[in-house]
Amino acid sequence: MQETRQNKIARLLQKELSVIFQEQTRMMHGVLVSVTRVKVSPDLSICTAYLSVFPSEKGEEILNNINANDKTIRYELGTRVRHQLRIIPALRFFIDDSLDYIDRIDELLKK
């Protein structure tokens, strides 16, 4: 039962975070940030979001910028989901490098 609730909340947070990042990166031309996966702790207090950044060379810079502004992102998220959630979880962001990993494997297989 708890796992179903975690999955529903993870989907809600993924959708809202992706909208927030889409609005934030609209100003930065040539940069795309997408939320690939969201995990929520069993007590719903921590949200771990995996981000895919295009171009991947700017990944660390974008992640540092997001981590520096995590309180404003959490506030924005809270205003969007305040009617669905009582407590807004703490946010942790990580780079999802699975696409780079897949490209590297394809490159090695072509050789």
Side-chain angles (χ1 to χ4, degrees), residues 39-75:
K39 291 183 182 178
V40 180
S41 65
D43 62 350
L44 307 177
S45 65
I46 299 173
C47 170
T48 305
Y50 294 90
L51 308 175
S52 176
V53 179
F54 180 80
S56 60
E57 295 83 33
K58 293 188 175 186
E60 284 298 319
E61 175 188 348
I62 297 293
L63 184 65
N64 290 336
N65 191 7
I66 288 172
N67 284 329
N69 296 316
D70 65 345
K71 291 193 182 352
T72 57
I73 294 169
R74 185 176 181 205
Y75 176 78

Side-chain angles (χ1 to χ4, degrees), residues 22-45:
Q22 183 181 15
E23 290 173 356
Q24 295 293 327
T25 58
R26 188 170 290 149
M27 298 174 253
M28 302 169 54
H29 299 288
V31 176
L32 178 68
V33 177
S34 59
V35 183
T36 57
R37 185 176 42 179
V38 171
K39 291 183 182 178
V40 180
S41 65
D43 62 350
L44 307 177
S45 65

Side-chain angles (χ1 to χ4, degrees), residues 92-107:
R92 297 189 311 179
F93 298 103
F94 296 101
I95 294 290
D96 184 14
D97 58 351
S98 61
L99 293 176
D100 295 333
Y101 183 71
I102 290 170
D103 287 341
R104 179 77 176 133
I105 290 175
D106 284 343
E107 192 177 295

Side-chain angles (χ1 to χ4, degrees), residues 83-95:
H83 298 297
Q84 288 96 356
L85 297 177
R86 189 177 345 162
I87 297 172
I88 306 304
L91 301 174
R92 297 189 311 179
F93 298 103
F94 296 101
I95 294 290

